[in-house]
């Protein structure tokens, strides 16, 4: 099984790399196979896979299994915090911790770090009305759909959405406004914005984790997590082919969204599940269970939301703190505010990404920087 998976992955990666070397950007093209996936019981399959990966192996067999996995998916076993014999199951091995010092955290206070090991798929600034993120050339999805109708995105984005929407979208805006005030009252000190504050731009970054990557999710900055939202969606695969053939892939899939505030304004982090990776652990909320059997067959049920209000201040996280883990590989989307100047005159103090599309990045490395004005 590992050999077949590895051969298919090598073939797909080679085709993608050849296309990029020729300057060909992959475009969105729906196909019949993608439609067929919607009829498969992917959630049930993923729960069965979860059961298999939780089976404990005999101690003598463990090193052989994990070494085979590492060869197939290019995992670095030298970074594992424990000897291979101590990982009782494949699931335990998936979410392994690393040796101290393997992921140094960039200490620059004017720096936002990568929360995971992975490949940078997309990044940029959200300037257009409606705040759209490109899934692949020829198709985009809205940030509000990804984070939820009750998301408290910066009001500039919300106003643009309301101006271009009809009566139905207006009611959605009203719900967003209520959610904004509900959370604001829970933590008024965090949300207070000084009139002298510089302008804030809205940015995003999409990072894909391969099966061989380190699977824990860390905090990208010092921030205050105020809301957790769990969307019990589908579990489509998140590979390159799926991105090119399935509409609203990230919006359709099961995901856990954390929203809050950091020193530069709004911050949201979405952990998106996929086939065989429906289980997303959240260390700040151990009672959260994902990929549960559906009570309804409809995929449009509203998300489960929890407002964190210990002493009215939410949950404080430091840069590099562990937040959660995927039980294999998947995708993380960051949406955040950062300092910018006027659109006509960019200054050296503006936030700038220090990555390129397709870059391999490790947790703790800088995604972007800015300078104090």
């Amino acid at each position: 099984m590992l050999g077949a998976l590895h051969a298919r992955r090598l073939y797909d990666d080679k085709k993608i790399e050849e296309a990029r070397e020729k300057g060909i950007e992959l475009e969105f093209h729906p196909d019949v196979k993608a439609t067929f996936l919607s009829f498969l019981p992917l959630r049930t399959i993923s729960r069965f896979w979860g059961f298999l990966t939780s089976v404990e192996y005999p101690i003598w067999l463990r090193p052989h299994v994990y070494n085979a996995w590492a060869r197939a998916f290019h995992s670095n076993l030298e970074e594992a915090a424990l000897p291979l014999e101590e990982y009782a199951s494949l699931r335990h091995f998936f979410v392994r911790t690393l040796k101290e010092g393997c992921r140094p955290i960039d200490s620059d206070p004017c720096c936002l770090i990568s929360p995971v090991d992975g490949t940078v798929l997309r990044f940029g600034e959200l300037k257009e009305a409606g705040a759209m993120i490109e899934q692949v050339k020829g198709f985009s999805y809205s940030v509000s759909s990804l984070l939820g109708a009750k998301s408290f995105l910066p009001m500039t984005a919300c106003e643009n959405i309301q101006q271009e929407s009809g009566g139905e979208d207006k009611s959605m805006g009203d719900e967003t406004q209520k959610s904004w005030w509900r959370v604001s009252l829970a933590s008024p000190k965090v949300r207070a914005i000084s009139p002298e504050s510089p302008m804030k731009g809205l940015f995003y970054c999409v990072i894909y984790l391969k099966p061989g990557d380190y699977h824990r999710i860390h905090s990208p900055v010092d921030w205050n997590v105020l809301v957790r939202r769990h969307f019990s969606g589908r579990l489509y695969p998140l590979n390159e082919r799926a991105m090119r053939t399935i509409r609203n892939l990230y919006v359709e899939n099961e995901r856990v969204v954390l929203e809050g505030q950091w020193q530069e304004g709004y911050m949201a982090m979405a952990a998106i599940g996929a086939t065989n990776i429906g289980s997303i652990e959240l260390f700040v909320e151990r009672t959260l269970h994902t990929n549960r059997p559906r009570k309804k067959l409809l995929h449009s049920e509203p998300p489960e939301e929890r407002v964190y209000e210990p002493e009215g201040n939410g949950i404080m996280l430091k840069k590099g703190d562990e937040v959660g883990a995927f039980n294999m590989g998947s995708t993380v989307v960051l949406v955040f505010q950062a300092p910018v100047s006027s659109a006509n005159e960019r200054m050296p103090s503006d936030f700038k990404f220090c990555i390129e599309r397709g870059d391999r990045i490790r947790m703790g490395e800088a995604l972007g920087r800015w300078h104090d004005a």
Side-chain angles (χ1 to χ4, degrees):
M1 180 189 71
L2 292 177
L5 287 173
H6 186 46
R8 174 61 185 270
R9 186 174 300 277
L10 287 176
Y11 176 78
D12 290 342
D13 289 347
K14 183 180 179 181
K15 289 293 185 183
I16 294 168
E17 192 63 32
E18 288 176 352
R20 285 174 177 163
E21 288 177 356
K22 295 177 181 178
I24 301 173
E25 187 168 354
L26 300 174
E27 298 185 5
F28 184 82
H29 291 292
D31 65 8
V32 177
K33 291 182 180 179
T35 304
F36 176 72
L37 283 175
S38 62
F39 297 102
L40 296 178
L42 297 178
R43 297 176 65 84
T44 302
I45 292 171
S46 297
R47 283 195 297 274
F48 179 68
W49 172 255
F51 167 76
L52 291 180
T53 58
S54 298
V55 174
E56 294 191 6
Y57 299 124
I59 294 177
W60 65 268
L61 183 60
R62 294 172 187 175
H64 301 288
V65 174
Y66 305 144
N67 276 300
W69 180 271
R71 285 193 299 271
F73 297 107
H74 310 292
S75 297
N76 186 353
L77 298 183
E78 294 180 359
E79 295 180 336
L82 302 175
L84 296 183
E85 294 81 1
E86 295 192 30
Y87 296 108
S89 65
L90 198 54
R91 178 184 173 277
H92 190 199
F93 173 73
F94 284 157
V95 296
R96 63 191 179 279
T97 57
L98 302 181
K99 293 177 181 176
E100 188 174 353
C102 283
R103 295 292 183 275
I105 306 299
D106 194 309
S107 58
D108 184 356
C110 296
C111 158
L112 181 141
I113 66 169
S114 174
V116 293
D117 283 12
T119 303
V120 178
L121 297 183
R122 294 283 189 277
F123 65 90
E125 186 174 0
L126 297 167
K127 298 179 180 179
E128 303 297 329
M132 304 292 287
I133 296 178
E134 186 180 48
Q135 177 175 308
V136 72
K137 185 178 179 181
F139 186 81
S140 301
Y141 58 94
S142 73
V143 179
S144 59
S145 297
L146 176 74
L147 303 179
K150 293 186 178 181
S151 168
F152 50 97
L153 275 168
M155 297 309 293
T156 53
C158 293
E159 288 171 356
N160 288 334
I161 293 172
Q162 290 179 16
Q163 287 174 3
E164 294 196 355
S165 303
E168 183 178 349
D169 290 342
K170 185 176 180 181
S171 63
M172 181 185 297
D174 293 340
E175 289 183 4
T176 305
Q177 182 78 352
K178 291 177 183 177
S179 179
W180 170 277
W181 283 110
R182 176 164 58 85
V183 180
S184 297
L185 293 173
S187 54
K189 294 181 181 179
V190 175
R191 297 208 170 269
I193 300 176
S194 169
E196 294 83 15
S197 297
M199 290 180 60
K200 306 294 181 184
L202 189 64
F203 299 86
Y204 74 93
C205 184
V206 183
I207 305 174
Y208 170 66
L209 291 77
K210 294 182 178 180
D213 286 328
Y214 170 60
H215 298 92
R216 298 206 170 207
I217 308 168
H218 294 250
S219 175
V221 291
D222 295 347
W223 64 311
N224 187 13
V225 183
L226 299 172
V227 179
R228 184 270 298 157
R229 209 168 286 119
H230 173 217
F231 296 80
S232 181
R234 301 178 185 272
L235 285 176
Y236 290 127
L238 289 180
N239 53 36
E240 189 86 32
R241 181 184 179 86
M243 285 189 289
R244 290 186 285 113
T245 58
I246 302 176
R247 292 183 182 276
N248 295 313
L249 180 60
Y250 298 141
V251 175
E252 287 282 341
N253 271 22
E254 181 163 17
R255 60 199 181 279
V256 175
V257 175
L258 297 177
E259 283 190 312
Q261 292 280 309
W262 70 307
Q263 65 179 17
E264 302 300 335
Y266 175 80
M267 170 66 68
M269 182 164 62
I272 304 172
T275 308
N276 296 338
I277 317 135
S279 178
I280 302 169
E281 295 183 52
L282 206 58
F283 299 150
V284 296
E285 187 184 342
R286 295 283 185 175
T287 56
L288 176 67
H289 297 289
T290 59
N291 194 13
R292 293 171 297 184
R294 285 185 174 276
K295 295 179 181 179
K296 299 179 181 179
L297 294 178
L298 298 177
H299 289 273
S300 58
E301 57 190 70
E304 176 195 351
E305 184 177 274
R306 177 177 176 182
V307 178
Y308 297 129
E309 299 182 24
E311 301 179 0
N313 292 319
I315 297 176
M316 299 300 299
L317 293 174
K318 295 293 185 181
K319 182 192 291 187
D321 284 353
E322 288 188 352
V323 179
F326 291 113
N327 285 329
M328 201 170 169
S330 195
T331 301
V332 166
V333 180
L334 290 178
V335 180
F336 57 94
Q337 284 184 293
V340 296
S341 52
S342 65
N344 298 327
E345 183 181 0
R346 292 293 185 178
M347 304 295 291
S349 59
D350 290 356
F351 175 84
K352 294 182 178 65
F353 284 102
C354 50
I355 52 176
E356 296 292 338
R357 186 181 296 185
D359 280 357
R360 290 284 299 155
I361 193 166
R362 304 207 306 176
M363 193 285 294
E365 295 178 345
L367 287 175
R369 301 182 189 276
W370 69 101
H371 300 283
D372 290 330

